[in-house]
Structure formats: C-alpha cells, structure tokens
Amino acid sequence: MPFDRDFHAPIIIIIAGARHVVRSVREAAWLLADCWPDVGCQRFRAALAACAAAMEGRLAAAKARLAVVEAARAAGVPVMG
C-alpha cells in the first residue's frame, strides 16, 4: 500500500505563476500529475516513476525529490530547494 514520505527540505516550484511548496513525495506526485507543463519529457516520466517507487518504499524520498528537481529544470520550470 502506498504511503507518503516527507522530503528533508521542501521544494518550491512555480508553474504558470502559481507557487507550489512541495514537502513530500505524495505532494510531488500530485503536482506532476495535476499541472506539470511538459508531460512528454523523459525527466517528467522519471520523476513520476520515482515518486511512485518512493511511496511504495522501493526508493528513498531524497532520490524522488532529486528526480522532481531535475524534471523541473528540464522543463524550464523555476525551482528552489
């Protein structure tokens, strides 16, 4: 059963002018699935898969966090954290 895992530090991601403070794997997965601007990007798919693996306990939350940051940078989305 999937469960949420907190990040060691939040990520701030700005999409279409909206500021999103992402504190956990579940929040990251929700943001990716709900309003990500470039869903065709390989880094997007890798980040979504990393979040799923982290919620299933197969991957560290820190690795999922890094995948989300890399996806944001690849998509040209402003990210802090």
Side-chain angles (χ1 to χ4, degrees):
M1 178 168 168
F3 60 95
D4 200 5
R5 300 172 75 187
D6 290 335
F7 291 151
H8 68 277
I11 307 167
I12 298 169
I13 298 174
I14 301 171
I15 298 174
R19 183 177 182 258
H20 303 272
V21 180
V22 181
R23 296 178 178 90
S24 70
V25 174
R26 187 179 304 272
E27 288 178 7
W30 183 262
L31 184 66
L32 287 164
D34 189 46
C35 61
W36 203 253
D38 185 5
V39 296
C41 175
Q42 178 185 359
R43 299 269 181 163
F44 162 80
R45 292 188 301 274
L48 201 54
C51 287
M55 286 192 292
E56 292 171 356
R58 297 183 292 113
L59 187 71
K63 293 205 179 212
R65 182 183 185 280
L66 179 59
V68 173
V69 169
E70 290 174 350
R73 289 183 179 145
V77 172
V79 60
M80 296 170 270

